[in-house]
Amino acid sequence: MPGVTVTAAVRAMAARHPDLALDVVRTSWDEQTRVVLDGRVDVCFVRMPVDRQGLRLRPMFAEPRVAVLPADHRLAGKASVGIAELAAEQLLQDPDAVPEWRDLPERLAEQRHSRPRLVANTVEEKLEYVAAGEGILVLPVSVVTFYTRPDVVHVPIEDIADSQVCLAWSAGRPSQLVRDFVESAAAALAG
């Protein structure tokens, strides 16, 4: 997942199983659980919320989420914002990824009249729309720092939950190697 660094977990597993070939696969929000359920990967770092059906999950870490705004946005210079201050903004991502925004009373009343969400599949595409003033994003701080650009700023959101990152694996394909990876990753990330 963008912003999630897996190096420590992969190295810990490689130290535990030196003869095991480990491949790292990039995923996205849209496919983060699908790659586990269809067997393309054995484990995946996923950003919550996800549909838990068919999965086992173990929390790994949490990180703050920030509002991603055009550099000239009216809120761009603030030290922090509340989620309600973003209610009138066009969200450029799946509203289910930001239930705190989606469920604001102003949003619920406006849903009948809001314009359709622009279709952008990657963080890079979404950031282009933000820079162009088409809307905003709410992202984990590690994603924003990974994609630093001069025409986009981020502002901490003071009243929403952190982004939770979990390890996910198939409930239907138990494996000692998967259990070993989960334990190794948890130990590596705890340090």
Side-chain angles (χ1 to χ4, degrees), residues 9 12-14 16-17 20 43 58 167 169 175-187:
M13 184 64 170
R16 194 170 185 171
H17 293 279
L20 183 66
V43 295
R58 176 156 178 190
L167 263 180
W169 63 97
S175 159
Q176 184 59 48
L177 285 174
V178 168
R179 287 190 289 277
D180 288 352
F181 185 86
V182 172
E183 290 172 17
S184 297

Side-chain angles (χ1 to χ4, degrees), residues 32-180:
Q32 63 179 343
T33 57
R34 192 173 340 135
V35 296
V36 173
L37 295 171
D38 69 15
R40 282 183 276 168
V41 301
D42 296 307
V43 295
C44 186
F45 285 91
V46 298
R47 290 197 184 273
M48 302 303 286
V50 297
D51 180 354
R52 297 169 179 252
Q53 187 171 358
L55 296 173
R56 302 274 321 252
L57 297 170
R58 176 156 178 190
M60 289 286 127
F61 61 90
E63 62 179 315
R65 291 185 290 168
V66 296
V68 183
L69 312 166
D72 60 353
H73 192 276
R74 64 183 170 79
L75 300 173
K78 294 191 76 172
S80 65
V81 295
I83 193 68
E85 292 178 84
L86 304 172
E89 304 294 334
Q90 178 73 22
L91 190 68
L92 298 172
Q93 67 202 97
D94 183 343
D96 291 338
V98 191
E100 300 91 344
W101 179 88
R102 178 199 64 208
D103 297 341
L104 286 168
E106 302 93 317
R107 297 297 323 149
L108 294 172
E110 191 179 304
Q111 283 177 3
R112 295 183 302 274
H113 308 292
S114 63
R115 64 182 175 161
R117 184 170 57 93
L118 294 168
V119 177
N121 295 317
T122 67
V123 174
E124 294 90 344
E125 291 171 342
K126 292 172 186 172
L127 289 172
E128 288 296 330
Y129 282 124
V130 170
E134 295 292 332
I136 67 159
L137 295 168
V138 174
L139 295 174
V141 71
S142 66
V143 175
V144 176
T145 56
F146 184 79
Y147 291 102
T148 301
R149 9 178 335 154
D151 51 358
V152 172
V153 299
H154 64 276
V155 178
I157 304 172
E158 57 203 29
D159 56 353
I160 66 172
D162 287 348
S163 171
Q164 179 72 48
V165 175
C166 294
L167 263 180
W169 63 97
S170 173
R173 289 190 315 273
S175 159
Q176 184 59 48
L177 285 174
V178 168
R179 287 190 289 277
D180 288 352

